[in-house]
Amino acid sequence: MALPCAPSFRLDGRRALVTGAGRGIGLACATALAEAGADVTLTARTIDELEAAAQAIRSAGHSARAAALDVFDLAAVAVFFDERPAFHVLVNNAGTNRPKPMWEVTEADYNAVLDLNLKSAFFVAQACARRMIAEDAKGSLIHMGSQMGHVGGPERSLYCASKWALEGMSKSFALDLAIHGIRSNTIAPTFVETPLTRPMFEDAAFKASVLAKIKLGRIGAVEDIMGAVLFLASDASSLMTGTSLVIDGGWTAE
């Protein structure tokens, strides 16, 4: 009897790009992809932090390089992709948040959150996909969404707006790009402890409110995202496009 062959999670010979990769979830994603054999490029605005992150990955015996890129600068984004061979994996991770009640949101807040979380994500994905199409490079676009792209949350009007839009954007990308063998999916984590979010959890009442929603009873860790990004980047998810992996400890189940 011929047995089916499990698809590989290996990424040998593939080029991967992670934005916002200097720390937190971005660094974890870059590490996971590199450990699976990908040649990973880490980008962010702060080159010193990136260089340290890439060096740490190389010291562990994997392939990684740092490249400064301000994804707000769309001209720089276009040049970045024009100067490099096509990537096979994009992790569209750069993002921000300005939590406050909706009646306190300013136009500057709106522009800061939507321009990075949505506009920059769109044009980074577009530039990446254009290069992939030009070189007939099949692969996977992975957008870092949030459980807040599936539900609402207090003081999260801008963040929810950007992440709900990201979900729709990814679905439409999936339909446009399927003919080229390029998949588009999102990862939607719950609250994850990172250098950016750690100060939030010093507020005992806030932390308690979050834990009350996470049915598995703990704040997320960056390691919880690593398996999902590897799955979506690899052949193990070759029939998945236009959907979302929700990693929320049960938050959105109720």
Side-chain angles (χ1 to χ4, degrees):
M1 176 185 294
L3 295 176
C5 182
S8 176
F9 286 80
R10 294 294 304 174
L11 298 171
D12 303 281
R14 302 185 201 184
R15 291 179 295 276
L17 172 67
V18 182
T19 67
R23 65 178 76 172
I25 290 174
L27 177 56
C29 290
T31 302
L33 298 174
E35 287 179 349
D39 180 4
V40 181
T41 298
L42 294 79
T43 69
R45 287 183 290 183
T46 308
I47 190 63
D48 290 345
E49 187 175 55
L50 280 178
E51 291 284 9
Q55 180 57 47
I57 293 172
R58 289 194 297 270
S59 296
H62 311 300
S63 179
R65 69 198 70 202
L69 177 64
D70 182 355
V71 295
F72 277 118
D73 186 342
L74 300 187
V77 167
V79 170
F80 178 88
F81 285 97
D82 286 344
E83 291 180 342
R84 290 166 172 79
F87 292 96
H88 304 94
V89 178
L90 166 66
V91 181
N92 224 345
N93 173 69
T96 191
N97 189 14
R98 293 192 179 184
K100 57 181 63 176
M102 60 83 65
W103 58 86
E104 293 183 6
V105 170
T106 66
E107 184 178 3
D109 294 328
Y110 182 98
N111 291 338
V113 175
L114 273 294
D115 279 1
L116 181 57
N117 291 7
L118 187 61
K119 182 178 179 180
S120 292
F122 183 101
F123 286 104
V124 166
Q126 182 192 71
C128 185
R130 282 175 170 170
R131 192 71 172 171
M132 294 170 79
I133 292 167
E135 297 184 21
D136 193 28
K138 297 172 174 53
S140 177
L141 309 181
I142 304 166
H143 315 283
M144 196 58 62
S146 169
Q147 67 183 16
M148 295 301 177
H150 296 265
V151 296
E155 300 190 353
R156 295 295 187 276
S157 57
L158 294 179
Y159 195 72
C160 287
S162 69
K163 296 303 184 180
W164 276 82
L166 194 74
E167 291 290 340
M169 182 187 83
S170 179
K171 289 180 184 297
S172 187
F173 283 174
L175 300 179
D176 284 345
L177 295 171
I179 192 172
H180 298 289
I182 301 170
R183 299 180 293 113
S184 179
N185 294 286
T186 68
I187 294 174
T190 188
F191 286 88
V192 174
E193 185 170 342
T194 68
L196 182 66
T197 63
R198 194 167 293 124
M200 298 165 53
F201 299 123
E202 295 174 0
D203 180 335
F206 175 77
K207 184 174 182 178
S209 71
V210 168
L211 289 173
K213 290 278 195 176
I214 300 176
K215 305 311 176 188
L216 291 180
R218 66 174 176 86
I219 305 297
V222 295
E223 290 82 1
D224 294 313
I225 313 304
M226 294 171 78
V229 77
L230 181 56
F231 173 65
L232 288 178
S234 73
D235 292 341
S237 61
S238 62
L239 197 61
M240 285 184 65
T241 195
T243 192
S244 181
L245 287 183
V246 182
I247 306 172
D248 69 348
W251 184 302
T252 63
E254 122 177 301

